[in-house]
Amino acid sequence: MQPRIPRPTAIAAIMVGLTAFTLAGFLLPALWYEVFDRHGPGRILLAVAAVATVFALYARLLWLNLMRRTAPGHRFGLAAIAAICWTLPPLLGTGHGWGNALLVPAGLIAVVLPLRPAIAVTAAATVLTPVYGIVLGLPALSALYDFAGVPLAAFSGYVQVWLFHVVQELREARAETARSAVGEERLRFARDLHDVLGHSLQAVALRAEVAERYLDRDPGRVRKELTEIQTMARDSVRDVREVVRGYRATSLRTELDGMSAVLRAAGIRCDRPEVSPELPAHVHEPLGWVAREAATNVLRHSSATWCEITVDAGRDRVRVEIVNDGAPRRAAAGGSGLTGLAERITAAGGRFTAGPGGDGTFRVTAAVPAAPAPRGAA
């Protein structure tokens, strides 16, 4: 069972919460001092309002940028945070932690601003923040800390948002790849099911017609045809199961045997050509599907009296050509069998053509390279 991946909004909420926890380390100690060690209510209200405003603006800006809802107006929010954080130390004193507020805006510089302006603003803040701290009376060590902390905080904020977006893009790409794989598998299944059942059911129907013809004249022939129908039906069930499992392997020799037998049973003259036992293994499946679909088309779409099959095995490629007469002048529209064959042969690195000739014939030609196509070449 695969682990459940949190939604992007949940991850963004966690990141905002962790950032707020970090801000708390910068601002809450000083606020704690104001609440419990001072007695001026105005000063306390000012400190609480300032810290709450900084927290709210910071969380809002970070959330919107994580959700890719950036807007030019966000820089005004960043300016407001910078104004508050740089005003608190001179108003409330740099002691007891208020000097840490100077670093708070740095984490949003590269998040809110585009990259080039962010680099310029970060460089300026890296110089101005320690200088401003020294002017306010901060120790030299604190100014040095601000000098190193500003670029570090800006870089950390940028990396935080960038990594979040990269992870989401990878997640979307993974989901798209999964959807594409499901679509390809559905297409493969539909194509294989059409090829298997189209041929098998046509052959069963043909045998049933032959049995019906001899019903009153030759009971022995009828029994033979019924036996063949049973065998074909069982083979069809097995083939469908193999298609579903994705393990079906088609043999050119077997398909040519079945094609010639079915066509001869329909009264169509067809001689099976000799197939070399040395044919490469990878050519059997695509060319076997060509033979299967061609037989289905001859039975279904033509009034053929003969069908000629040629297998030519050369050094560079193996070619199968199937020609029959009695073809309609216009090919039937809307069929998916020839389209599926073209996809199979193209995936094997070969070429496929099919179409009627001017003399009432229909020609199907498929050629597959003798060497296997590189994986993923199609």
Side-chain angles (χ1 to χ4, degrees):
M1 183 176 180
Q2 294 184 349
R4 185 177 180 182
I5 302 176
R7 294 178 177 272
T9 52
I11 299 176
I14 293 173
M15 295 178 67
V16 171
L18 292 175
T19 303
F21 182 78
T22 304
L23 290 180
F26 279 89
L27 298 178
L28 289 188
L31 183 62
W32 180 276
Y33 171 78
E34 295 293 337
V35 172
F36 290 97
D37 292 351
R38 298 294 182 101
H39 304 286
R43 185 185 177 99
I44 294 176
L45 288 177
L46 175 62
V48 170
V51 171
T53 303
V54 169
F55 268 80
L57 284 176
Y58 203 108
R60 179 66 175 171
L61 292 177
L62 181 59
W63 172 266
L64 292 176
N65 283 271
L66 289 174
M67 295 292 102
R68 293 188 181 276
R69 300 176 188 171
T70 56
H74 291 177
R75 60 191 64 190
F76 295 107
L78 176 60
I81 293 175
I84 294 173
C85 291
W86 282 43
T87 303
L88 286 177
L91 287 180
L92 303 180
T94 56
H96 306 290
W98 284 118
N100 294 332
L102 299 179
L103 284 177
V104 170
L108 281 179
I109 292 176
V111 175
V112 172
L113 300 178
L115 186 58
R116 287 186 178 181
I119 294 175
V121 173
T122 300
T126 301
V127 176
L128 294 177
T129 301
V131 171
Y132 184 59
I134 292 175
V135 171
L136 294 177
L138 289 175
L141 185 62
S142 297
L144 182 62
Y145 174 76
D146 291 341
F147 181 80
V150 170
L152 182 62
F155 179 75
S156 299
Y158 174 80
V159 170
Q160 178 186 22
V161 176
W162 178 78
L163 284 178
F164 177 83
H165 290 160
V166 167
V167 170
Q168 296 311 310
E169 289 171 0
L170 289 176
R171 185 177 180 181
E172 292 171 2
R174 182 179 179 183
E176 181 62 30
T177 302
R179 286 192 294 268
S180 177
V182 170
E184 291 178 1
E185 183 63 17
R186 286 176 177 173
L187 180 61
R188 181 201 68 81
F189 181 77
R191 183 180 60 200
D192 291 356
L193 200 60
H194 169 272
D195 294 344
V196 170
L197 289 184
H199 173 81
S200 302
L201 294 179
Q202 189 70 27
V204 168
L206 174 64
R207 292 287 186 175
E209 291 174 3
V210 173
E212 184 181 12
R213 263 190 242 124
Y214 289 94
L215 185 61
D216 298 327
R217 293 181 293 167
D218 191 349
R221 179 64 183 270
V222 173
R223 282 194 295 271
K224 178 183 176 182
E225 296 297 334
L226 290 177
T227 301
E228 289 291 337
I229 290 174
Q230 292 177 6
T231 303
M232 289 179 178
R234 292 192 184 99
D235 291 343
S236 297
V237 172
R238 186 192 69 243
D239 290 345
V240 170
R241 287 174 179 169
E242 291 178 353
V243 167
V244 172
R245 293 172 185 169
Y247 296 128
R248 176 170 174 78
T250 304
S251 169
L252 177 60
R253 187 178 297 103
T254 302
E255 294 299 337
L256 291 179
D257 286 341
M259 177 181 181
S260 58
V262 168
L263 294 182
R264 285 197 300 267
I268 301 172
R269 179 170 52 86
C270 180
D271 296 327
R272 185 188 71 81
E274 291 298 326
V275 179
S276 172
E278 298 180 358
L279 284 181
H282 71 277
V283 307
H284 281 273
E285 183 171 358
L287 296 182
W289 283 113
V290 170
R292 175 180 287 266
E293 181 63 26
T296 302
N297 288 340
V298 170
L299 295 173
R300 184 181 300 171
H301 301 303
S302 74
S303 55
T305 60
W306 59 267
C307 181
E308 182 179 349
I309 307 171
T310 304
V311 178
D312 180 18
R315 286 187 176 183
D316 299 330
R317 52 103 179 98
V318 179
R319 179 173 171 271
V320 171
E321 185 177 73
I322 302 171
V323 185
N324 64 274
D325 67 340
R329 292 187 177 181
R330 293 185 178 181
S336 59
L338 295 179
T339 302
L341 287 182
E343 293 174 356
R344 290 179 185 277
I345 300 301
T346 301
R351 295 182 179 181
F352 176 83
T353 59
D359 54 353
T361 60
F362 193 90
R363 187 180 304 271
V364 175
T365 305
V368 177
R375 186 176 183 87

